[in-house]
Every structure is written in structure tokens, then in C-alpha cells.
Amino acid sequence: MKDQINTIYKNHSQFYKILLFLTTTFLIVFIFPKSGRFKYNFEKGKPWQTENLYAPFNFAIQKSKLKIAEEQELIKSQTTYFFDKDISVEDKVKNDYDVAFNKVFNDSISNFNQLKSKGVAILNSFYQYGILNEDLKLNDNSSVVILVDNVEKKSTTYSKLQKQGKIKDHIENELKEGNLLRYTNKLTALFFDVIQSNLIYNKTLTDNVLQESLDKISSNRGVIDKGTLIISKGEVVNDDKYQVLNSLSKEYESQVWSKSSYNWIVFAYTLLVALALLMLLLFIRKYRLDVYKNNTKVTFIFFNVLVIVLLTTLVINYNSEYVYLVPIAILPLVLKAFFDARLGLFTHVITVLLLGSIVPNSYEYMFLQIIAGIVTILTVSELYKRANLFISVGQITLVYIIAYFAFFVIHEASIDNLKWETFGLFILCGLATLFVQPLIYVYEKLFGLVSDVSLLELSDTNSKLLKELSNKAPGTFHHSLNVANLAEASANEIEANAMLVRVGALYHDIGKMKSPTYFTENQSSGINSHDELSPKESAKIIINHVLDGIEIAKKYNLPDRVIDFIRTHHGTSQVYYFYMKEKAKNEAVNIQDFTYPGPKPFSKETAILMMCDSVEAASKSLKEPTSSKIDNFVENIINKQKDDGQFLNANITFKEIESIKKVLKRKLANIYHLRIEYPE
């Protein structure tokens, strides 16, 4: 049991990665749409490239959205409008008319009976169908049904219904025929006093009847029997064939896969996702071993892949037309900021391949996204410079637009129906990509990672910690600045992370703040504090500046990547001066008392700092320096470090070490202002 526990403990990192791999696979498969995909790709107006296709089963041909919309508009234009009629209104109005007419008109006028009869006739014409309480502004030919107590009484057209706004015109036309025009004003005023509307629009019933008609629209326009030839090889996919193929494709997704083979689909998706994530994990293990060994970094990479897949799936489930709104270019941007371009691009390609199994027009989508990822990697450099990010996002957006335009022309052979709104999606996607800056900050806090943006902030010599270093140990601060300049130039020469090594150089000796006067660069009074100490005590103080530096760095929350420079800048070398001094007194001296605890440098950047730190510190002892002296001096120091095996754990080559030597020789020659000796 104890042995099993020890085995688990020793291999806990591997177990964690296996658990992470399985969990990520499960989550991606879980959020994927659970439908199969039609195995053939087809495009309208293009030849059918595969073998003759026969119907594998009976299926209905679905109508296009445009056809269904046309049928809906036709039904809406032919809809019937229902009105409720109040039959008591007509009798009341006629009674009121008799009373009012006798009051307004004197029976002594010559046309009294004729005028009264004309008024009754007008009322009858008004109430033949009825008077509306409001004008609905419908088409005159619209069908109308008049209901009395919810029972149909009359059917007519909207033009036959009387509108209150047209009553005056109707009266004038009627009175012209009987030479009664001079009574128009009085009779009109009388009518307006007594007339009441008796038709009320029944919107609820009208809408219900319309909806019933719309619901009866069939989404299908026919059936294809099993075994029927759908399309032959080489035949052009016209509108009709496209609709048939599209119907078959949807039938596969909605019935064949989801109902009869759901478990097989899930199993197949699991295989694909697991295979893709396994390739990513193997790539990290083979080419980025330092990342692979860090579980936090591996988790960070898988987490970002999962987030991109989740966002894209959500958009597809909502509306697949908005799929290009997802800023996938953020993925390579983030990974390049924290790791490197190669890992960022490989992860981006794996993610796009995963999404290719669920997005529509998968080839077009994958082409656009992979090209955008390549452009992202090639164009974005020095992400901490805001102008660079804006320029790169503009280039990414332009590549999206150009590639989409090319695909559209290939598919349609014209630009007449170009979807300009898609260009808007690309622009919005570009704007969303700018969110990478605050996202990087959030990731730094969540995962404890360090980007170039943070390194730029740490390189500010006005920061609190570096200010404290310059006040307590000014000589050490000046030494750190010189080392930073040498290290940055060396890193640029071999294409290492110049910003990282500069920051590491600025902070590598902060431990000397604890006992600044015990280091020669801070001894301005000419008094050497080591004169009162034994060589062993002096060596302990010198060695402890590494441990003190780590303690101070953690107190000020410096990132681990920066603390690594403090740990490794002396490797496992010896405090040689005090060792020899002690050895002169005692032959049985323990060399471990004079040896730095290490570890040795384990990256190009930490190796560069060790070289530059040793060369810069020792260069102060050069007297009357010449080019040859400097060359030998640099060669001796770095060769000794190399012979001591200080660079065995760093992924730095002999060629790169030689390049660094050349940079240091050139820089030191410039520092000491060496000139060619001209003859007098």
C-alpha cells in the first residue's frame, strides 16, 4: 500500500495530465451539437463531384425559406377581417333621426317629405353593411365578414363598409341627385349628431384565423422515394437539386443520427476530440518540455481551447450565420504572449480542426481561421505596444475580408448577391480581438503567468523595489543596469526573450540590499567589511544574497520567471576568492561551504544572465584594458563556466555561446572607449 502511494505521489503530475486530458475531452464532446453530418459537400451552381447519389430512404423535400415566406405573404394578403355588428344601433339612430329632423326642418318647406325620405335612404345605405368605429386603412378589396352574436351574417369587401371620415362626401353626392344641395350643411350636421358606428373590428378572431391558415402551410413540397436517383456525377447542382440535397442533409442530422445512432455519434466525436487533444499534448511534450512539466501551463492551454470551443458552439446554436463573430485569433495571441509563436499556432490549428466538425461550410471556415492564425503569429510582435496590436488586428480583419470575398466569388461566380453584413461581422470580430489586452491581465492573475506586458512594467527603474535598490545599494543598482544592457544585446543576438532577460538582470542582485556594504561595488569609504570576518563567514554572506533576493522577490510578488534569474545567476559556482583564502589557512576546507546552492541555469535567458553578470562584475578589475585583454578576459570567464557544466541544463548551443562572447567583447570595448592608436 505504501509503495502504491509513493508511486502515485511520484507520478502525480502525469496522473493530473491524464485527468485534465479526459476532462477536457468530455467537456468538449458534451458541448458539441449532438448531430451527425452529411458526408457529402455540395455547393449551388457547382458540379456534383462524387458518385451518383441515390436516396437511402424516403424523405420529404423541404421548401426553402424564401418559398415559405412567399406563401405566408400570399395568405396574409388574402386574409379575411372580422367585424362585430351591434344591431340595436340602427333602430336607435333612425328614431333619433325622426325626432331631430322635425326639430331642424320646418314641415312648411316645399321639399320636406322628399328631404326626409332622402335622409332615411342615406341612413339605410350607411347601415346596409355598417359604419366603422375606426378606419383600418385596409385594401378596398380585402374580404370582410360581419358577425352578429358571433354568427356570420354578411360577407363583403372593405370598400363597402362606411367610414366616418367619408360621411360628408357621401351625403353631398346623394343630395346632388335630388336638387337638395342647399340643405347639405344642415343635414350633415344632423347626421353627425345622430349617427353612431355599429361595426367593431374583431382583431382576436382575425388573428386566430390568419394564424390557423399560416400553420397549415406545409414545410415540404414533395417526397423522394428510397432508391430514386437524386443527382448524377458531374451534374450541376441547380436550385431544385440543391433543395433536395439540403433536405436529405437535414434529414440525416435530425433523424438518422440523433435517433438511431446517438451513442455512435458521441463515441465518434470522443475519438476525434481525444485524438486532436492528444496531438496537442504530444507536441507540448516533445517540443516544449518546460511547459509540459508545468501543470499550470498545460491547464492554461487546455482551458483556452475549451473556452474557444464553448463560445463558437454557443454562437452556432444561436445562429450559425454569426460564427465569424467569435474572435478566435485571441487564442494564438494569448499563447504567443505567454509562450511562443510555434505553440500558439499549433494550438490554434488544433482548435480550428476541432471546430471544423461542427461549423457550416467547414472547409471555408477552417481556411479562413488558419490563415488568420498565421497572420496573427507573423504580424503580432511586442504585444505590449498598443499600436502593434491595432495594426495586427487591422491586418487580421483585412485577411478575413479578402479570403471571404474570394470564396464567395468562387461559389457564386459574381458579386451581385455579396453579403456585405458578413464584412461587418469580421470588423466586429477584429474589435473583439482587442479584448486580448485586459484578458492577458486577467490570465496573469488567475494562472500566475507572465507576459511581455508585465515584463515592461517590471523593467521600469522607477518601480518601488528598484528605487529601494538604488538607494540602499547604488553600486549594485548601477551594476544591474550594465548587466541588463549586456544581457539584452546578447539575447537579441541569439533571438532569445530580450525583455525577460533584461528584467531578470535588473532584479538578479536585489538580495544585496540586506548587507550592501559587504559587496565591493557599494564600498565607497575604502573600508572593507570583510576584514573583520573569517573567509567562511564572508562566503556565507556573499552566498546568502541569492536566498535573500528570493525572499525579497516573493515579498514584492515578483513572478516566478523573474525569481528564476535570482536563483540561477551564480548556478553552483564557488566564491573562489574566500575559498582560496580559507584554504591557505586550512587544507581540510569543505568546498560546499563556499558553493552557491544553485540550481544551474535552465534556459537560454538564465544562461545569458550568468555570462553577462560574471563578465560585467569581473571587468572592473581590468587595468589598462586593450582589445586583446578584453577578448581573453571574456573567453576565460565563459569557458570556465562552460567547463564547470553550468550550461548543461540550459537549451543553449555552442554556436549561441560564441555569438554571446562576440557581443560581450564588442560591448566592453565600447564601454572602455578603446580606440585605434594613431601614430604621432
Side-chain angles (χ1 to χ4, degrees):
M1 182 67 180
K2 186 177 180 180
D3 293 339
Q4 292 176 341
I5 294 174
N6 289 334
T7 302
I8 293 174
Y9 178 77
K10 290 178 182 178
N11 298 288
H12 73 280
S13 180
Q14 295 296 334
F15 287 130
Y16 175 82
K17 291 181 181 65
I18 293 172
L19 180 62
L20 176 66
F21 170 79
L22 294 176
T23 303
T24 308
T25 301
F26 169 78
L27 290 175
I28 291 177
V29 173
F30 177 76
I31 63 180
F32 266 6
K34 302 301 186 299
S35 62
R37 301 199 66 194
F38 192 46
K39 64 180 179 179
Y40 301 105
N41 291 319
F42 56 93
E43 299 172 15
K44 188 187 296 185
K46 299 294 179 182
W48 180 257
Q49 299 292 339
T50 54
E51 69 277 1
N52 294 351
L53 178 62
Y54 296 89
F57 44 74
N58 298 335
F59 68 94
I61 306 172
Q62 298 180 359
K63 295 177 183 175
S64 65
K65 291 182 180 179
L66 180 61
K67 182 63 177 175
I68 292 176
E70 289 176 354
E71 292 183 9
Q72 288 174 340
E73 288 301 318
L74 179 61
I75 288 177
K76 288 177 182 179
S77 67
Q78 297 175 348
T79 189
T80 299
Y81 297 86
F82 292 86
F83 293 85
D84 293 318
K85 185 175 183 179
D86 187 350
I87 57 175
S88 64
V89 171
E90 184 177 352
D91 292 337
K92 181 178 181 303
V93 169
K94 288 182 178 180
N95 290 333
D96 292 343
Y97 170 76
D98 284 338
V99 175
F101 187 87
N102 291 331
K103 289 181 179 180
V104 174
F105 296 98
N106 194 321
D107 57 1
S108 61
I109 62 173
S110 59
N111 298 320
F112 180 84
N113 292 328
Q114 181 185 1
L115 183 61
K116 188 174 183 179
S117 299
K118 194 65 176 178
V120 172
I122 292 172
L123 283 177
N124 289 333
S125 67
F126 284 165
Y127 287 100
Q128 179 183 1
Y129 295 103
I131 300 175
L132 293 171
N133 65 333
E134 60 176 329
D135 189 356
L136 300 180
K137 307 295 184 184
L138 301 179
N139 190 300
D140 286 343
N141 296 321
S142 297
S143 298
V144 167
V145 171
I146 298 173
L147 305 173
V148 176
D149 296 331
N150 294 325
V151 178
E152 181 179 342
K153 290 298 183 182
K154 288 183 181 180
S155 296
T156 183
T157 60
Y158 187 70
S159 61
K160 298 293 182 65
L161 305 183
Q162 187 62 51
K163 293 83 178 174
Q164 288 186 347
K166 296 182 178 180
I167 288 177
K168 183 178 180 181
D169 295 337
H170 186 75
I171 294 172
E172 288 179 352
N173 291 332
E174 290 291 330
L175 294 180
K176 283 180 183 178
E177 299 176 359
N179 297 319
L180 302 173
L181 195 58
R182 64 182 179 273
Y183 301 110
T184 300
N185 292 336
K186 285 186 177 182
L187 196 60
T188 301
L190 187 153
F191 278 135
F192 272 104
D193 288 338
V194 301
I195 283 179
Q196 297 178 26
S197 60
N198 65 338
L199 293 181
I200 299 174
Y201 175 49
N202 192 330
K203 187 176 187 303
T204 302
L205 180 58
T206 302
D207 289 345
N208 289 340
V209 172
L210 174 60
Q211 190 59 50
E212 287 179 8
S213 299
L214 292 175
D215 291 341
K216 291 178 181 177
I217 296 177
S218 174
S219 60
N220 305 324
R221 62 174 180 85
V223 175
I224 298 292
D225 295 326
K226 181 179 180 180
T228 302
L229 176 63
I230 296 176
I231 192 169
S232 303
K233 184 175 182 180
E235 186 178 351
V236 174
V237 181
N238 55 27
D239 289 343
D240 185 63
K241 295 290 185 183
Y242 180 81
Q243 200 58 39
V244 173
L245 290 168
N246 200 41
S247 300
L248 178 59
S249 175
K250 290 180 178 179
E251 191 72 18
Y252 260 91
E253 294 175 3
S254 63
Q255 292 185 13
V256 174
W257 295 105
S258 61
K259 291 181 179 178
S260 63
S261 304
Y262 179 84
N263 292 334
W264 280 109
I265 280 295
V266 172
F267 176 71
Y269 269 135
T270 302
L271 289 179
L272 287 177
V273 173
L275 188 61
L277 293 180
L278 180 62
M279 293 303 104
L280 176 59
L281 200 60
L282 292 176
F283 175 86
I284 297 172
R285 186 175 185 274
K286 183 173 179 63
Y287 296 104
R288 297 293 180 270
L289 190 59
D290 56 326
V291 175
Y292 181 80
K293 290 179 179 179
N294 190 317
N295 285 340
T296 300
K297 293 179 179 179
V298 177
T299 303
F300 174 74
I301 295 170
F302 276 61
F303 173 77
N304 276 275
V305 173
L306 182 62
V307 168
I308 293 296
V309 172
L310 175 62
L311 286 176
T312 306
T313 306
L314 290 175
V315 171
I316 290 173
N317 289 338
Y318 174 71
N319 190 338
S320 61
E321 292 181 0
Y322 298 140
V323 69
Y324 288 114
L325 197 58
V326 182
I328 293 184
I330 281 182
L331 180 60
L333 274 174
V334 167
L335 295 182
K336 184 179 180 182
F338 288 114
F339 305 112
D340 60 85
R342 190 176 178 186
L343 178 57
L345 181 59
F346 190 87
T347 307
H348 176 73
V349 171
I350 289 292
T351 306
V352 171
L353 291 176
L354 282 173
L355 295 175
S357 61
I358 63 171
V359 297
N361 300 322
S362 55
Y363 175 75
E364 176 184 323
Y365 176 85
M366 290 191 292
F367 184 90
L368 262 65
Q369 297 296 2
I370 290 175
I371 289 293
I374 293 172
V375 171
T376 302
I377 294 299
L378 293 178
T379 59
V380 178
S381 58
E382 299 177 328
L383 190 60
Y384 54 85
K385 295 182 180 179
R386 288 172 294 180
N388 286 357
L389 179 60
F390 277 96
I391 292 170
S392 297
V393 167
Q395 292 171 331
I396 294 166
T397 305
L398 182 61
V399 167
Y400 270 132
I401 291 173
I402 292 173
Y404 173 78
F405 176 81
F407 269 106
F408 187 88
V409 173
I410 291 172
H411 293 165
E412 301 292 333
S414 72
I415 61 172
D416 295 337
N417 299 318
L418 190 62
K419 297 180 180 178
W420 297 101
E421 59 271 17
T422 307
F423 295 155
L425 294 179
F426 291 137
I427 294 173
L428 290 175
C429 178
L431 294 176
T433 305
L434 296 174
F435 184 69
V436 70
Q437 282 281 20
L439 186 63
I440 286 174
Y441 176 79
V442 172
Y443 278 155
E444 286 177 335
K445 300 304 178 186
L446 288 177
F447 292 91
L449 301 173
V450 183
S451 69
D452 286 349
V453 179
S454 293
L455 292 177
L456 180 65
E457 295 174 356
L458 291 171
S459 67
D460 183 7
T461 54
N462 289 315
S463 65
K464 184 178 179 181
L465 182 54
L466 291 180
K467 275 286 188 183
E468 186 178 348
L469 177 63
S470 66
N471 291 330
K472 290 184 177 180
T476 299
F477 178 71
H478 184 260
H479 159 72
S480 297
L481 287 177
N482 290 338
V483 173
N485 292 331
L486 292 174
E488 184 177 19
S490 300
N492 285 326
E493 183 69 21
I494 65 171
E495 297 182 355
N497 191 331
M499 179 64 72
L500 177 61
V501 75
R502 179 175 182 83
V503 172
L506 289 173
Y507 291 92
H508 79 283
D509 270 344
I510 55 174
K512 292 181 179 179
M513 286 193 297
K514 196 166 185 179
S515 306
T517 57
Y518 286 92
F519 299 90
T520 55
E521 66 264 26
N522 299 312
Q523 295 171 354
S524 57
S525 61
I527 300 174
N528 192 339
S529 302
H530 290 285
D531 293 341
E532 300 176 0
L533 301 175
S534 67
K536 190 174 181 179
E537 290 174 326
S538 296
K540 185 177 181 180
I541 292 174
I542 298 297
I543 291 171
N544 279 346
H545 88 272
V546 173
L547 302 177
D548 294 336
I550 295 171
E551 183 180 338
I552 294 170
K554 289 183 176 180
K555 178 183 176 183
Y556 281 85
N557 295 318
L558 290 186
D560 288 340
R561 290 179 76 187
V562 177
I563 296 176
D564 288 340
F565 287 92
I566 301 174
R567 287 193 178 99
T568 61
H569 74 277
H570 283 296
T572 56
S573 60
Q574 290 81 38
V575 186
Y576 197 70
Y577 173 79
F578 291 109
Y579 170 69
M580 295 304 295
K581 193 174 180 180
E582 178 70 16
K583 193 173 183 180
K585 299 178 182 179
N586 180 16
E587 286 291 335
V589 61
N590 184 1
I591 195 171
Q592 293 301 321
D593 295 334
F594 298 86
T595 302
Y596 284 98
K600 297 176 181 179
F602 46 77
S603 66
K604 287 183 182 180
E605 289 76 19
T606 51
I608 289 171
L609 178 61
M610 171 179 273
M611 288 183 260
C612 295
D613 179 44
S614 301
V615 168
E616 202 285 331
S619 67
K620 299 294 189 293
S621 63
L622 279 176
K623 297 178 181 178
E624 299 180 1
T626 63
S627 295
S628 59
K629 278 186 178 181
I630 289 175
D631 289 353
N632 292 331
F633 167 78
V634 171
E635 290 285 345
N636 290 336
I637 289 178
I638 295 181
N639 285 342
K640 185 177 187 307
Q641 291 174 337
K642 189 166 59 175
D643 294 339
D644 289 344
Q646 297 297 331
F647 306 136
L648 290 178
N649 297 333
N651 58 334
I652 191 167
T653 64
F654 287 134
K655 182 179 180 180
E656 289 170 336
I657 292 174
E658 293 302 317
S659 298
I660 292 170
K661 287 180 183 178
K662 292 178 182 178
V663 172
L664 294 176
K665 292 172 185 177
R666 185 174 69 250
K667 286 288 183 180
L668 288 177
N670 292 335
I671 290 172
Y672 287 104
H673 305 290
L674 297 182
R675 297 287 187 270
I676 298 173
E677 295 182 5
Y678 295 100
E680 296 182 0

